[in-house]
Amino acid sequence: MEAALSERKVAIVGAALSDIGRVDDKTAYELHWQATSRALADAGLSKQDVGGFMSQGTGMLPPVELTEYMGMRPTWVDSTGVGGATWEFMVEHAYAAIAQGLTDVVVLAYGSTARADLKKKLRSANLSFGTRGPAQFDAPWGHTLIAKYAMTARRHMHEFGTTIEQLAEIAVSARHNAGLNPDAFYQEPITIEDVMNSGMIADPFTKLHCCIRSDGGGAVVLASATRARDCKKKPVWVLGTGEAVSHMTMSEWEDFTESPAKRSGALAFERAGLRPSDVDVCELYDAFTSMVLLTVEGLGFCEKGEGGPFVADGKLRVGGALPTNTDGGGLAHCHPGMRGMFLLVEAVRQLRDECGPRQVPAAKIACVNGTGGWFTSASTVLLGRD
């Protein structure tokens, strides 16, 4: 029985990024291939070893188009789409498929030329996220994506006395971490005053409260315990996962100060048999500073309403009590559209002790949390090394 249970363990055995930042000479398909081939090489595997493939955000039929482009013929695919949390949801789905014996090696891949496309005027920004279905009731009022997040920030400030300076520290901490990452889009340090004076975008957010727009992609390879033993590097085990959805229309969100991460996190920690105090490093989706604030509260790293004081003293910096977004996050490292993939890659690298100056010493447990839409979805993944 113990042997059978051990075979149901699942690990991330490969992780890699494509070219990132400013990538004007490659398509999204090329970035998918770059990331996938690099992640397979990282694992010591080839595309012939891949039985399952997962992707979202490219083309009409993402897994089919991409696997055709890359010369793969998987027997298990998934293209779940829940916004930025997609990749963390996919980890849970891949885990289940591998544990059930449907396949033994699954690749999750992502690539986007969001920055290059906008610069080339190949497409315009989607500000309303659709005018059909539930979204049609928000769109006439100008509820853009950033406006929805700005409302959550204002509500948190109103209810709990959170200050704009406390939110600004999240951006300052991200830039501090990015300064330790030679691949980060922005590496120069900033101050709280810099954030405050960077130009209003959507009250209370100034420019530096908001994620950057970049190109790039990434991939991770998951495998069964049996396959993981034969891979090139030590496995990073999936210890627990959880997913949750919340609302589409803002009027259907019961509490503007509570992320669905409260529910996804509770599931992941329970399934892993861990507590927030066990976590050494966090990789949390940070399209806007308030996203990090609500996530650390939802995951239980501090009590609800205490997120402002919790982050204000630099806890989120490498070297702090809860090093978070150690690569610089979406606020400074990269953000090609759905950043959840990059959270996974950075977490794996931290647990493998591969991060150089930004390495969290002796990191054994990583907490990854993706957020999609406007706190519409959340998925939490707890990873650990042997």
Side-chain angles (χ1 to χ4, degrees):
M1 176 63 73
E2 289 183 5
L5 289 175
S6 69
E7 295 310 309
R8 297 180 63 183
K9 292 177 65 178
V10 176
I12 297 179
V13 296
L17 299 180
S18 70
D19 295 349
I20 61 169
R22 296 177 175 85
V23 186
D24 295 320
D25 61 342
K26 291 181 175 61
T27 67
Y29 287 87
E30 289 176 291
L31 295 180
H32 273 89
W33 169 242
Q34 249 190 2
T36 298
S37 59
R38 290 173 183 179
L40 287 170
D42 185 59
L45 297 171
S46 72
K47 64 182 182 181
Q48 286 74 30
D49 295 306
V50 177
F53 185 84
M54 312 175 82
S55 190
Q56 229 291 321
T58 302
M60 184 182 298
L61 303 169
V64 182
E65 294 180 25
L66 288 163
T67 52
E68 179 182 74
Y69 178 83
M70 293 188 283
M72 297 179 182
R73 290 294 184 268
T75 57
W76 185 90
V77 298
D78 188 354
S79 61
T80 296
V82 287
T86 289
W87 311 104
E88 286 67 41
F89 272 73
M90 285 184 174
V91 168
E92 179 165 306
H93 300 176
Y95 181 103
I98 294 170
Q100 292 175 37
L102 301 181
T103 185
D104 60 356
V105 175
V106 177
V107 171
L108 283 63
Y110 178 57
S112 170
T113 51
R115 173 199 159 273
D117 289 353
L118 193 63
K119 293 292 183 181
K120 295 173 185 176
K121 299 183 179 179
L122 296 179
R123 68 184 184 196
S124 59
N126 183 352
L127 299 179
S128 68
F129 274 79
T131 53
R132 297 182 180 181
Q136 68 183 297
F137 301 108
D138 281 347
W141 310 103
H143 286 192
T144 59
L145 179 80
I146 187 173
K148 298 173 195 289
Y149 277 98
M151 284 194 288
T152 69
R154 272 293 175 206
R155 188 66 197 179
H156 203 280
M157 295 166 77
H158 171 75
E159 287 197 26
F160 304 113
T162 307
T163 68
I164 193 64
E165 290 84 1
Q166 290 167 341
L167 286 169
E169 171 56 36
I170 295 171
V172 174
S173 292
R175 188 65 71 88
H176 169 84
N177 295 344
L180 303 172
N181 180 7
D183 295 324
F185 200 93
Y186 292 111
Q187 300 174 37
E188 304 81 5
I190 56 174
T191 65
I192 288 176
E193 290 72 23
D194 291 332
V195 180
M196 302 278 286
N197 296 325
S198 59
M200 186 60 66
I201 303 296
D203 184 66
F205 292 149
T206 56
K207 180 180 179 180
L208 290 177
H209 282 277
C210 309
C211 66
I212 63 176
R213 191 181 185 105
S214 70
D215 306 313
V220 294
V221 184
L222 286 87
S224 64
T226 301
R227 294 302 298 270
R229 294 191 193 103
D230 297 327
C231 287
K232 185 177 178 181
K233 295 184 178 179
K234 290 184 178 179
V236 171
W237 299 103
V238 180
L239 304 178
T241 63
E243 56 186 57
V245 297
S246 180
H247 59 284
M248 185 72 179
T249 310
M250 292 296 282
S251 61
E252 299 305 305
W253 191 7
E254 294 90 347
D255 185 349
F256 275 27
T257 65
E258 184 173 291
S259 167
K262 180 175 182 179
R263 288 177 285 129
S264 65
L267 287 170
F269 280 108
E270 179 182 1
R271 290 165 179 170
L274 297 171
R275 297 173 296 178
S277 58
D278 295 316
V279 172
D280 300 304
V281 59
C282 284
E283 308 299 339
L284 312 178
Y285 207 117
D286 62 338
F288 306 99
T289 53
S290 65
M291 186 186 290
V292 177
L293 193 78
L294 267 66
T295 303
V296 295
E297 290 183 358
L299 294 175
F301 292 106
C302 65
E303 295 297 322
K304 184 174 181 179
E306 296 181 2
F310 181 82
V311 304
D313 64 356
K315 281 188 181 70
L316 306 187
R317 303 184 187 193
V318 173
L322 187 68
T324 297
N325 296 338
T326 47
D327 61 356
L331 294 168
H333 174 226
C334 70
H335 196 295
M338 292 193 289
R339 185 174 157 77
M341 172 59 72
F342 302 90
L343 309 179
L344 293 167
V345 173
E346 178 68 7
V348 169
R349 288 176 168 176
Q350 284 287 339
L351 295 179
R352 288 177 171 176
D353 196 20
E354 295 175 345
C355 291
R358 69 181 188 277
Q359 179 64 48
V360 175
K364 295 181 179 179
I365 304 293
C367 177
V368 177
N369 192 88
T371 302
W374 31 97
F375 289 108
T376 300
S377 63
S379 183
T380 310
V381 177
L382 293 166
L383 301 172
R385 69 182 192 186
D386 287 325

